[in-house]
């Protein structure tokens, strides 16, 4: 019986409680509505503009300017919207704003903040952001904040901030439109402008990834180059350690500028991850970029780290095959004029790369240029001084194919040959040479240059402060060797060139026939040259050339001319006899050929020419005119004995005769001849000597008389009694004189 009344009572109490709760909730909601209406109607946030500005200045030391109206937003939750607002620069900087925003809006969810001490913010909207970053010459910057003068610095640590009860941050999203950032560095002159910044980001919660998408335009990242950047990926913000992780990054950079081949370039990039950005060390994983400029495609891959913001990266790269000549055309440049139009048509490269805070390098290079293979390393060891190091090896190179074709004069010869009227400016890039700072080594297995063929060429080069030096410079050529030391000094008003070069055991015939089309002289030569010259043109260098040289030819021959034939022909002409038949293969053997030379006033003077030719001993002097490429030599060839020729002729009358020989004309084809007048005088002197000897009682061609005279001379030298007859003494003196 008690059950029914109990049940009735319970239902009644429950209904009353429910009505009470519902009524209380309704009243509370009504109160909130009334309060919100009252706040929006009675409270104007613009009344607190000065207090807000004062608080910001106390914390930052800068003036806050609120140009637009502040508006509260209470539905569906609390928020505020701003008009134009600007924060000034610190003292000592320009009076322009450090940052200015044309309009901003933000929402805050009150209940999570009150109930769970979580700061949940709706989407943050910034329109017309304008940020100006300035670095002055004294090192001060405008992005460092300090409290106003007289205000205590905020020394709260991160733990103390966390102790305020803020458990986390939750932002529904971020939208930045029409943004602008400028950077100016007075010490370096760098001036970077980033415009049209548009950024959207998803919900940002501490420790949770969010997606983002950004686009912007940039000028000044490289001189004369404008950039359009589009980037998307995933980011994770570590609010506790103030660090950022980026993952799955993909983007594209479009470059434009007159200095780019074809006026534009495209970079497609991706990144697996950049972890702990903002920490002392940030890992970079899976970096890849594809660069396309004109017809050149470069693929780069790498990884590494950022240490204190500086890169420590390395990876691989590959340049796909392209035509350098076509690239020049795309750049609007004239193609390189080469002797062989088939060169500069194919180049490719692959290898490794590294990038540090102050250096960069290409390692393990494997490249090809046309039919030459290149390996080695190139590095910039100091960005501040642009110091360059390299070590390159080339298997084979025909340099003549890459040189400009030789100009021809009206006569069909090489321009300037045999004439001092033409001249060529050196056109040296003096400013670039003075700025050059490098150390390097270049080796070439086989090299053809100026038609000469060299092997195992090694060039060690240094350049600094306008002084360029190739030393040591070595090569093997034509069964011999070369070593050199070449210096170019551009520190003065005119370039100075100095050389110290040596040839050892070189087959001169092979060298001259290929390098200068001279096929006359053959043999093994040792030579040296030490010289220096100053000038801005080739002729000026030759005119100012000073130094000395030496040469020594062994086992040689002069092909194309039989000196004994020339002597017989000259003798026959004097005697009015028939000339001997010309040899089919004329040649003059030279067992030894040596001398020294001095350079001065565009001339090479040789005062001690000596040579050994069969049955001849040659001496003399002469010179070379470097400006006219001519030579002029006067030689004396003494006949030490006479050969017997194929036709049986034996020139006994020439024995011990001195033959005057001239070598004159173009260096490439000199004319060699016997001075007929000098030969006539020599033969006349020979006949006169013979007659005088007969008168004195002897003949230089009479062995018995010669033996008698020698015995008489020996008797005199041994102290035997001499005749007291004055006539005999005079005869003996004349006889001795004529036999000297």
């Amino acid at each position: 019986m008690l059950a029914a009344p109990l049940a009735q009572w319970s239902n009644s109490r429950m209904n009353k409680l429910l009505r009470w709760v519902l009524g209380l909730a309704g009243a509370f909601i009504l109160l909130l509505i009334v309060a919100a209406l009252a706040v929006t109607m009675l409270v104007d946030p613009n009344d607190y503009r000065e207090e807000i500005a004062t608080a910001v200045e106390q914390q930052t030391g800068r003036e806050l300017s609120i140009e637009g109206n502040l508006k509260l937003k209470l539905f569906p939750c609390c928020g505020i919207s701003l008009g134009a607002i600007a924060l000034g620069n610190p003292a000592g900087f320009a009076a322009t704003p450090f940052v200015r925003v044309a309009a901003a809006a933000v929402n805050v969810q009150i209940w999570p903040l009150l109930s769970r001490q979580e700061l949940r913010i709706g989407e943050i909207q910034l329109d017309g952001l304008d940020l100006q970053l300035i670095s002055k010459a004294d090192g001060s910057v405008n992005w460092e904040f300090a409290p106003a003068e007289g205000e205590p610095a905020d020394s709260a640590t991160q733990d103390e901030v966390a102790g305020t009860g803020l458990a986390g941050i939750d932002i529904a999203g971020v939208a930045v439109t029409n943004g602008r950032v400028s950077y100016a560095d007075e010490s370096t002159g760098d001036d970077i402008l980033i415009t049209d910044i548009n950024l959207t980001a998803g919900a940002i919660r501490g420790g949770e990834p969010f997606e983002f998408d950004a686009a912007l335009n940039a000028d000044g990242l490289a001189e004369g180059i404008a950039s359009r950047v589009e980037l998307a990926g995933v980011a994770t913000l570590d609010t506790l350690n103030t660090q950022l992780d980026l993952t799955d990054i993909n983007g594209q950079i479009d470059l434009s500028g007159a200095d780019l081949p074809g006026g534009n370039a495209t970079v497609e990039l991706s990144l697996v991850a950049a972890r702990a950005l903002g920490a002392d060390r940030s890992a970079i994983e899976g970096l890849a970029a594809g660069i396309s400029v004109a017809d050149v495609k470069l693929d780069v891959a790498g990884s590494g780290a950022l240490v204190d913001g500086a890169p420590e990266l390395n990876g691989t790269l590959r340049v796909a095959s392209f035509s350098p000549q076509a690239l020049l055309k795309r750049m609007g440049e004239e193609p390189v004029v080469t002797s062989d139009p088939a060169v500069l048509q194919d180049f490719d490269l692959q290898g490794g790369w590294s990038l540090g805070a102050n250096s960069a390098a290409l390692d393990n290079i494997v490249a090809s240029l046309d039919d030459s293979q290149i390996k080695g390393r190139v590095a910039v060891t100091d960005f501040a001084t642009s110091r360059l190091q390299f070590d390159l090896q080339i298997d084979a190179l025909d340099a003549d194919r890459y040189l400009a074709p030789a100009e021809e004069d009206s006569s069909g010869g090489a321009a300037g040959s045999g004439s001092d009227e033409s001249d060529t400016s050196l056109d040296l890039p003096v400013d670039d040479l003075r700025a050059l700072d490098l150390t390097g080594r270049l080796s070439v297995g086989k090299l053809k240059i100026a038609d000469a063929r060299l092997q195992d060429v090694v060039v060690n080069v240094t350049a600094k402060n306008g002084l360029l030096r190739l030393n040591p410079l070595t090569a093997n050529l034509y069964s011999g060797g070369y070593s050199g030391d070449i210096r170019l000094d551009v520190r003065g008003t005119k370039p100075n060139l100095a050389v110290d070069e040596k040839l050892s055991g070189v087959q001169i015939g092979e060298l001259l026939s290929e390098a200068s089309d001279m096929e006359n002289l053959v043999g093994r030569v040792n030579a040296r040259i030490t010289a220096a010259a100053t000038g801005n043109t080739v002729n000026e260098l030759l005119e100012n050339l000073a130094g000395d040289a030496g040469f020594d030819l062994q086992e040689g021959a002069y092909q194309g001319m039989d000196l004994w034939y020339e002597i017989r022909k000259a003798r026959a002409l004097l005697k009015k006899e028939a000339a001997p038949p010309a040899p089919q293969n004329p040649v003059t053997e030279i067992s030894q050929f040596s001398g020294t030379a001095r350079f001065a006033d565009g001339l090479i003077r040789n005062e001690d020419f000596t040579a050994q030719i069969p049955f001849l001993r040659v001496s003399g002097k002469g010179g070379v005119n470097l400006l006219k490429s001519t030579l002029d030599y006067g030689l004396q060839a003494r006949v030490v004995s006479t050969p017997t020729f194929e036709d049986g002729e034996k020139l006994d009358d020439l024995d011990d005769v001195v033959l005057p020989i001239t070598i004159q004309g173009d260096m490439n084809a000199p004319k060699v001849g016997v001075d007929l007048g000098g030969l006539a005088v020599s033969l006349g002197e020979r006949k006169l000597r013979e007659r005088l000897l007969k008168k004195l009682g002897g003949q230089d061609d009479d062995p018995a008389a010669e033996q008698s005279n020698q015995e008489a001379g020996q008797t005199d030298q041994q102290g035997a009694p001499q005749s007291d007859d004055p006539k005999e003494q005079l005869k003996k003196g004349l006889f001795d004189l004529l036999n000297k």
Side-chain angles (χ1 to χ4, degrees):
M1 293 188 57
L2 295 175
L6 183 58
Q8 187 179 4
W9 180 88
S10 297
N11 289 335
S12 176
R13 293 290 302 269
M14 184 63 69
N15 290 334
K16 288 182 180 180
L17 179 59
L18 180 58
R19 288 195 298 269
W20 180 80
V21 171
L22 291 175
L24 182 61
F28 180 72
I29 293 173
L30 180 61
L31 179 61
L32 287 177
I33 294 174
V34 173
L37 292 174
V39 168
T40 56
M41 295 176 62
L42 302 176
V43 178
D44 186 356
N46 292 284
D47 293 339
Y48 301 95
R49 296 161 68 99
E50 293 185 4
E51 287 84 349
I52 295 173
T54 301
V56 170
E57 185 171 2
Q58 289 176 349
Q59 292 297 317
T60 66
R62 308 187 185 198
E63 180 181 357
L64 177 67
S65 173
I66 303 175
E67 303 173 9
N69 289 326
L70 303 177
K71 296 181 180 179
L72 290 176
K73 179 182 178 183
L74 297 177
F75 297 102
C77 189
C78 304
I80 188 170
S81 61
L82 307 172
I85 186 171
L87 182 65
N89 272 314
F93 286 82
T96 56
F98 164 67
V99 61
R100 186 179 186 277
V101 178
V106 61
N107 295 329
V108 178
Q109 296 181 14
I110 297 298
W111 184 252
L113 182 62
L114 296 177
S115 64
R116 297 188 298 273
Q117 298 179 345
E118 294 179 354
L119 179 59
R120 292 190 178 182
I121 301 174
E123 185 179 57
I124 298 175
Q125 299 176 352
L126 299 177
D127 182 54
L129 171 70
D130 188 352
L131 176 63
Q132 299 183 23
L133 305 176
I134 301 173
S135 176
K136 300 186 68 174
D138 60 5
S140 59
V141 296
N142 71 338
W143 57 82
E144 292 181 350
F145 288 85
E149 186 175 351
E151 294 292 335
D154 185 1
S155 59
T157 65
Q158 194 170 30
D159 291 339
E160 290 172 336
V161 172
T164 60
L166 185 60
I169 294 179
D170 189 331
I171 301 176
V174 175
V176 178
T177 55
N178 303 315
R180 180 182 185 275
V181 176
S182 64
Y183 170 76
D185 190 329
E186 297 179 358
S187 62
T188 63
D190 291 338
D191 193 357
I192 300 172
L193 178 61
I194 301 175
T195 59
D196 298 326
I197 301 173
N198 291 281
L199 168 67
T200 60
I204 302 174
R205 299 180 179 89
E208 296 184 14
F210 62 91
E211 295 182 353
F212 70 91
D213 192 315
L216 54 88
N217 293 328
D219 291 303
L221 296 177
E223 185 176 357
I225 304 296
S227 309
R228 173 66 180 175
V229 181
E230 296 180 355
L231 200 65
V234 177
T236 303
L237 179 63
D238 183 348
T239 56
L240 183 61
N241 297 303
T242 320
Q243 296 175 6
L244 178 68
D245 287 353
L246 299 178
T247 56
D248 299 329
I249 304 299
N250 291 281
Q252 180 170 311
I253 303 175
D254 295 318
L255 307 173
S256 60
D259 294 337
L260 288 172
N264 56 74
T266 300
V267 180
E268 296 181 352
L269 57 87
S270 63
L271 178 67
V272 172
R275 304 190 186 279
L277 295 174
D280 293 340
R281 183 180 181 86
S282 307
I284 304 297
E285 304 170 4
L287 173 65
I291 303 171
S292 300
V293 51
D295 293 326
V296 181
K297 296 186 181 300
L298 170 64
D299 292 317
V300 179
S303 60
L306 300 178
V307 180
D308 294 329
E312 290 185 1
L313 304 172
N314 61 78
T316 61
L317 62 84
R318 182 180 182 275
V319 180
S321 176
F322 71 95
S323 167
Q325 291 284 44
L327 178 61
L328 289 173
K329 185 177 181 180
R330 289 289 301 272
M331 295 174 64
E333 301 288 341
E334 292 293 327
V336 178
V337 179
T338 58
S339 297
D340 184 354
V343 300
L344 296 177
Q345 298 297 331
D346 185 21
F347 177 82
D348 64 76
L349 180 146
Q350 60 184 0
W353 63 272
S354 60
L355 176 64
N358 196 38
S359 63
L362 294 179
D363 296 287
N364 302 317
I365 295 173
V366 178
S368 64
L369 175 61
D370 300 320
D371 54 1
S372 296
Q373 303 299 311
I374 306 167
K375 296 182 179 180
R377 180 179 189 272
V378 178
V380 178
T381 60
D382 188 343
F383 288 151
T385 61
S386 298
R387 181 167 181 77
L388 180 67
Q389 289 183 348
F390 67 88
D391 187 351
L392 298 174
Q393 305 93 45
I394 304 175
D395 64 339
L397 176 64
D398 185 348
D400 291 339
R401 298 174 65 195
Y402 296 86
L403 299 177
E407 296 182 2
E408 301 291 329
D409 62 16
S410 58
S411 63
S417 176
S419 174
D420 60 355
E421 296 180 358
S422 63
D423 198 1
T424 303
S425 174
L426 298 181
D427 289 332
L428 294 176
V430 174
D431 292 338
D432 293 336
L433 289 173
R434 289 172 179 168
L436 200 59
D437 185 359
L438 68 84
T439 302
R441 182 179 185 272
L442 174 66
S443 61
V444 185
K446 295 181 180 180
L447 174 65
K448 180 173 177 286
I449 184 168
D451 289 324
R453 299 178 185 275
L454 293 77
Q455 299 84 36
D456 302 325
V457 180
V458 178
V459 182
N460 292 274
V461 57
T462 58
K464 192 174 181 65
N465 299 326
L467 182 60
L468 175 67
R469 186 174 187 182
L470 307 180
N471 180 57
L473 174 59
T474 60
N476 295 326
L477 66 163
Y478 305 105
S479 304
Y482 164 84
S483 63
D485 181 0
I486 301 176
R487 288 155 291 171
L488 177 62
D489 189 346
V490 295
R491 293 174 294 184
T493 56
K494 292 184 178 182
N496 177 269
L497 178 65
V499 298
D500 185 355
E501 301 176 284
K502 296 181 178 65
L503 290 176
S504 302
V506 173
Q507 290 292 345
I508 192 66
E510 298 176 20
L511 173 60
L512 292 178
S513 65
E514 292 190 344
S516 62
D517 295 328
M518 291 179 61
E519 299 180 352
N520 307 86
L521 187 63
V522 297
R524 188 177 297 275
V525 69
N526 298 314
R528 63 169 182 82
I529 178 174
T530 302
T534 301
N536 284 313
T537 67
V538 173
N539 281 0
E540 193 174 7
L541 285 175
L542 294 176
E543 290 172 353
N544 296 324
L545 183 64
D548 60 78
F551 57 91
D552 178 28
L553 178 70
Q554 302 290 336
E555 304 172 359
Y558 191 89
Q559 298 175 338
M561 190 268 300
D562 186 335
L563 184 57
W564 272 110
Y565 167 75
E566 299 296 335
I567 293 172
R568 293 175 67 194
K569 186 172 67 173
R571 174 180 174 275
L573 184 61
L574 285 175
K575 290 180 172 291
K576 298 182 180 181
E577 298 175 352
Q584 293 184 349
N585 299 304
V587 62
T588 300
E589 295 183 359
I590 305 173
S591 58
Q592 190 269 332
F593 171 31
S594 63
T596 61
R598 298 285 299 175
F599 307 111
D601 303 323
L603 301 174
I604 302 177
R605 297 297 304 173
N606 171 212
E607 302 290 341
D608 58 353
F609 177 95
T610 62
Q612 294 287 343
I613 297 173
F615 310 104
L616 292 173
R617 183 179 297 113
V618 183
S619 63
K621 61 183 179 179
V624 177
N625 188 317
L626 296 173
L627 298 176
K628 295 183 178 181
S629 298
T630 60
L631 43 77
D632 184 1
Y633 268 83
L635 307 178
Q636 303 293 320
R638 180 176 292 276
V639 181
V640 294
S641 62
T642 58
T644 300
F645 301 99
E646 292 181 358
D647 57 3
E649 183 180 15
K650 182 176 175 61
L651 308 180
D652 294 334
D653 58 334
L654 293 182
D655 192 17
D656 205 33
V657 169
V658 176
L659 304 174
I661 299 175
T662 59
I663 304 176
Q664 297 174 328
D666 191 291
M667 288 177 57
N668 293 325
K671 295 180 180 180
V672 181
V674 178
D675 184 352
L676 292 178
L679 178 59
V681 172
S682 295
L683 291 175
E685 290 177 347
R686 171 65 183 271
K687 289 183 178 180
L688 177 61
R689 184 162 65 95
E690 290 176 350
R691 291 177 181 177
L692 287 175
L693 287 173
K694 288 180 180 180
K695 292 291 185 180
L696 294 173
Q699 286 183 315
D700 57 346
D701 56 354
D702 184 351
E706 183 176 354
Q707 178 68 24
S708 175
N709 291 329
Q710 290 178 353
E711 292 175 353
Q714 292 174 358
T715 302
D716 292 342
Q717 293 174 1
Q718 295 171 359
Q722 301 181 18
S723 172
D724 293 332
D725 187 346
K727 182 178 179 180
E728 292 297 326
Q729 292 182 3
L730 178 60
K731 287 174 59 180
K732 181 183 182 303
L734 290 173
F735 186 86
D736 291 341
L737 179 64
L738 292 172
N739 277 285
K740 287 184 178 179

